[in-house]
Amino acid sequence: MSMANAVPSPATAVPDPAHIAIAGVSKTFRSRTGEVHALKDIHLDIRRGEFVSVLGPSGCGKSTLMMLVSGLVPASRGTITVGDKTIDRPNADVGIVFQQDVLLGWRSALQNVMMQAEIRKTDLEAARERARQLLKMVSLEGFEDAYPKELSGGMRQRVSICRALLHKPPLLLMDEPFGALDAMTRDQLQLDLMRLCADNEMTVFFITHSITEAVFLSDRVVVMSPRPGRIERILEIDLPRPRRLAMREDTKFTHYTRELTDIFRGLGVLREEEV
Amino acid sequence: MAAITEAGADARPKSPLRFLSAVSPAIWTLIALVIFWEIAVRVTKTPVFILPAPSRIAEVFAATWPRLMINAGLTLSEVLIGFSCAVAIGVPLAVLITYSRLAERCVYPLIVASQTIPKVAIAPLMLAWFGYGLTPKVVIVILLSFFPIVINAVVGLKSSTAEMLYLAQSMGASGWQTFWKFRLPQALPNIFAGLKLATVLSVIGAVVAEFIGADQGLGYLIVVAGASFDIARQFAAIIMISAIGMVFFAVIELAERIVVPWRDTNTIHAEA
Ligand SMILES: Nc1ncnc2c1ncn2[C@@H]1O[C@H](COP(=O)(O)OP(=O)(O)OP(=O)(O)O)[C@@H](O)[C@H]1O
Ligand SMILES: [Mg+2]
């Protein structure tokens, strides 16, 4: 069966080597109940500054793929390189938003964000200033000193987004960061995220369940299918930037969402349910 | 109005002294019990050598106050030295067990198994080895209080989730930073739970050690008073022991509230 093979980066004016190269990567978990082939033979190249979304049903290996790219979990087979580094250990040149917020209960919102600077031993004054700005950006002004237990799930996730952005990472890995948010906050944060990416030339690996979100944000959408987790299709999203909320009603946009919906219907993931 | 008062009370739980107001109903209950005791003893005319009234105990307490204080000081020093040693050995050992698979497999089962040995039963042995001075008491205090400190610290240090450690790694945290900034704060509530158990056990340890072989200390006072059926004096010493235990516990509790302010599981809702 022909895997959706590494779609070569489209010819750009300057031939930019792949920033992230995922080559023949597989991941098998061994547990008491047997082996789980979470990922099988994944090939994916991501350019510097590219925004790539990974879309797929629950359990298809999206989080696993992100963990492999971060180096926090080793691959069973294949190689991953980021820049000129082969990823065989945790890569600290990233910002990560995990699927769970992973806030530290003994630190306030601001202190949780500041952890990033404390561990990296960067200028704390400047970092605190930036942390406050980021919290303000995600509408958490006034909650700087609140402890995680005093925050809602969506608020906690927003704190963890700020933490991932504090050190201006060249590579941002986000696992369903907007999953716990209401539609309006989500729209706002999508716009903010795209602006931040443009300003800082960040490469983003973004996991989502939402087809609209994937199309709206991405340069490319990677569609995965489960058991074993593999790449089903890679869809190039050719919409101009900066993107505007109104674009979501454009025919070109709806064309993309329809195409993705059809893919999932074809995979049997969707059985006539609106996403 | 009620709502406002509630909010006012809610805003305060960070105060380390709040627990004093939390125990005040218990104090009233205690006072009621003592009054009941006094009345019951008077009404039934119970002889002093069976059960003295609280007022009688108070008299004896006042009369023997200097002697009580000197002996309490000795018992307290046994408790504090033993407890400090138990912490100084227990916490680093817990760190070792957490970080070293080898240490965990070699030492941890032994520590757990050693709990089946009744410490009181080996107290005479300590006497034989260390004589009648301070040392055997301190050793017994260590033996008793060491276990909850180690076990709880290990549980706490191991309670860091995989995600938390992933987060630390993604920030490039060193092993040292991971310990100080992630594992240790995460473990503090458990560590304090162990310390609080250890305070109680260390007082028991000191008194039991004094029962078995001592010529001073509150445990010794009880033994001497018991030999002459002086129940009131025994009560006076028991009250001193309880006071030491309670104050010690309260100090640790207070320290916990200062060091682990986030522990309070009551949800505090931010006001809109
Ligand atoms: N640590 C682990 N041990 C064993 N199996 C695992 C582990 N982590 C993930 N898996 C398995 O790998 C598969 C992919 O999991 P993964 O978390 O990557 O899915 P996902 O696409 O992120 O799903 P979701 O959208 O629900 O978050 C699942 O079948 C899961 O059971
Ligand atoms: Mg996931």
Side-chain angles (χ1 to χ4, degrees):
Chain A
M1 183 176 160
S2 98
M3 275 309 92
N5 22 40
V7 170
S9 318
T12 38
V14 189
D16 190 8
H19 184 44
I20 304 175
I22 303 169
V25 164
S26 300
K27 179 69 187 178
T28 306
F29 289 108
R30 280 178 194 81
S31 62
R32 274 162 286 114
T33 50
E35 294 192 341
V36 179
H37 298 282
L39 292 172
K40 191 151 186 231
D41 201 27
I42 302 285
H43 291 268
L44 178 66
D45 287 347
I46 299 174
R47 295 187 303 274
R48 188 183 303 277
E50 192 177 19
F51 198 120
V52 171
S53 287
V54 178
L55 198 58
S58 183
C60 69
K62 304 182 295 294
S63 299
T64 305
L65 184 57
M66 185 189 91
M67 294 307 276
L68 297 188
V69 172
S70 70
L72 293 169
V73 173
S76 308
R77 202 142 18 94
T79 56
I80 298 173
T81 53
V82 174
D84 49 10
K85 264 191 301 193
T86 301
I87 301 302
D88 53 5
R89 74 186 69 159
N91 179 7
D93 290 333
V94 296
I96 304 191
V97 179
F98 293 94
Q99 194 161 0
Q100 277 88 38
D101 51 70
V102 203
L103 293 189
L104 308 174
W106 58 90
R107 289 179 159 242
S108 68
L110 182 68
Q111 289 170 331
N112 263 287
V113 178
M114 283 299 290
M115 187 64 130
Q116 191 77 257
E118 289 174 33
I119 297 293
R120 293 173 190 276
K121 300 205 168 77
T122 53
D123 176 6
L124 289 186
E125 267 319 305
R128 192 167 295 114
E129 193 46 46
R130 180 168 161 80
R132 285 186 188 282
Q133 275 171 15
L134 286 168
L135 286 168
K136 189 174 171 186
M137 181 191 83
V138 299
S139 318
L140 283 176
E141 205 177 13
F143 287 95
E144 290 89 348
D145 298 326
Y147 282 90
K149 67 177 179 200
E150 302 162 6
L151 300 174
S152 74
M155 292 162 101
R156 280 205 295 271
Q157 191 59 289
R158 279 180 273 161
V159 175
S160 80
I161 293 169
C162 295
R163 179 177 61 195
L165 292 169
L166 185 74
H167 55 301
K168 300 187 179 166
L171 172 59
L172 188 58
L173 307 172
M174 304 178 101
D175 196 344
E176 296 180 33
F178 304 148
L181 302 180
D182 61 281
M184 283 80 69
T185 312
R186 198 175 174 133
D187 286 353
Q188 186 57 54
L189 287 184
Q190 288 174 355
L191 294 171
D192 291 335
L193 178 61
M194 283 190 287
R195 203 195 58 237
L196 280 171
C197 292
D199 291 353
N200 299 312
E201 237 218 302
M202 270 191 295
T203 310
V204 188
F205 183 96
F206 188 96
I207 297 171
T208 177
H209 277 149
S210 160
I211 291 176
T212 328
E213 182 169 77
V215 174
F216 185 55
L217 292 173
S218 313
D219 298 313
R220 278 189 299 158
V221 176
V222 175
V223 179
M224 291 183 67
S225 63
R227 274 170 287 278
R230 64 207 136 82
I231 294 180
E232 194 64 35
R233 273 283 293 280
I234 298 178
L235 190 67
E236 195 90 24
I237 307 295
D238 186 18
L239 292 171
R241 288 186 186 274
R243 304 222 169 132
R244 304 257 170 258
L245 290 174
M247 281 183 190
R248 294 184 300 190
E249 275 92 57
D250 290 358
T251 46
K252 212 167 169 192
F253 190 98
T254 47
H255 168 79
Y256 286 127
T257 55
R258 195 166 318 117
E259 189 166 349
L260 287 166
T261 311
D262 286 342
I263 294 173
F264 284 119
R265 196 177 287 121
L267 289 172
V269 174
L270 270 183
R271 285 177 299 273
E272 214 43 51
E273 276 170 331
E274 193 35 82
V275 177
Chain B
M1 256 337 257
I4 291 167
T5 324
E6 276 296 277
D10 245 17
R12 259 188 298 132
K14 287 191 175 157
S15 158
L17 289 173
R18 190 187 58 135
F19 76 102
L20 284 182
S21 64
V23 298
S24 72
I27 291 173
W28 290 114
T29 311
L30 183 67
I31 291 172
L33 282 173
V34 170
I35 292 172
F36 172 75
W37 175 0
E38 181 79 37
I39 294 170
V41 167
R42 283 176 190 233
V43 169
T44 60
K45 299 195 166 55
T46 309
V48 193
F49 56 85
I50 304 276
L51 183 66
S55 54
R56 171 82 191 125
I57 296 169
E59 278 167 30
V60 172
F61 198 92
T64 57
W65 175 250
R67 192 160 172 233
L68 273 174
M69 281 309 283
I70 290 167
N71 287 283
L74 188 79
T75 304
L76 182 62
S77 58
E78 292 161 7
V79 168
L80 291 182
I81 294 171
F83 178 85
S84 308
C85 291
V87 174
I89 303 166
V91 175
L93 188 63
V95 174
L96 187 69
I97 289 170
T98 311
Y99 275 90
S100 155
R101 191 94 187 87
L102 185 69
E104 182 181 7
R105 297 179 63 175
C106 293
V107 183
Y108 202 53
L110 293 184
I111 294 177
V112 175
S114 74
Q115 283 312 292
T116 56
I117 305 169
K119 303 295 169 348
V120 179
I122 57 171
L125 205 59
M126 297 300 129
L127 243 55
W129 290 346
F130 300 110
Y132 274 74
L134 193 66
T135 318
K137 282 92 181 173
V138 168
V139 171
I140 291 168
V141 170
I142 294 174
L143 285 179
L144 264 127
S145 54
F146 170 75
F147 183 71
I149 294 174
V150 176
I151 300 294
N152 282 284
V154 168
V155 169
L157 289 169
K158 287 191 168 211
S159 68
S160 296
T161 59
E163 282 83 11
M164 265 174 61
L165 300 177
Y166 282 148
L167 175 70
Q169 286 183 301
S170 79
M171 294 176 169
S174 64
W176 196 247
Q177 285 176 319
T178 306
F179 177 75
W180 284 107
K181 299 223 170 214
F182 292 84
R183 277 191 189 270
L184 188 63
Q186 170 76 13
L188 280 177
N190 287 293
I191 291 177
F192 270 100
L195 293 185
K196 285 194 275 187
L197 274 172
T199 60
V200 178
L201 288 172
S202 60
V203 175
I204 294 175
V207 173
V208 165
E210 288 170 352
F211 278 174
I212 290 163
D215 46 16
Q216 45 192 332
L218 292 172
Y220 167 77
L221 285 191
I222 289 179
V223 173
V224 171
S228 57
F229 295 99
D230 193 339
I231 309 280
R233 274 193 172 190
Q234 289 192 44
F235 267 110
I238 289 170
I239 290 168
M240 270 323 267
I241 293 168
S242 312
I244 288 176
M246 277 190 254
V247 170
F248 192 14
F249 189 90
V251 167
I252 300 290
E253 173 90 18
L254 188 68
E256 179 181 20
R257 274 165 202 272
I258 293 166
V259 178
V260 195
W262 66 89
R263 183 211 61 157
D264 209 342
T265 44
N266 303 337
T267 327
I268 307 153
H269 294 286
E271 286 164 31

